[in-house]
Amino acid sequence: MFLVKHLGYSNLSYRIDIQEQGISVKIKFIHNSSEQSINKETLNNLSDYLTLDLIQSKSEVTETMVNELADEVDAAVWESLKSKYIKE
């Protein structure tokens, strides 16, 4: 199964192939000097997002566990900073 999407520009499209072995994403950009190209940071952000999504899909961490960890971090940060804001 695959999806080909044209992004409103004749020179920019992407294709997503979904197979049992995995998923491949192909971005096609034919550079035209009068138009902006996709920068490396945007592609890195896409890669980071896909990596995070894959990690999250395999994670067994619950929202409750994340909230408890966030509360512990908040408490530890406050403990280290409160002397700057509260004079005893």
Side-chain angles (χ1 to χ4, degrees), residues 1-47:
M1 177 175 137
F2 68 91
L3 167 69
V4 177
K5 176 136 180 150
H6 297 281
L7 300 175
Y9 302 96
S10 61
N11 64 341
L12 181 61
S13 63
Y14 65 87
R15 175 181 174 142
I16 300 174
D17 290 310
I18 303 171
Q19 302 170 351
E20 285 184 30
Q21 304 90 339
I23 298 172
S24 65
V25 178
K26 180 178 181 180
I27 298 173
K28 180 179 178 185
F29 186 82
I30 302 170
H31 185 66
N32 180 339
S33 61
S34 66
E35 296 187 28
Q36 287 185 333
S37 64
I38 297 174
N39 65 39
K40 289 181 183 179
E41 183 178 349
T42 300
L43 293 176
N44 285 334
N45 289 343
L46 174 60
S47 175

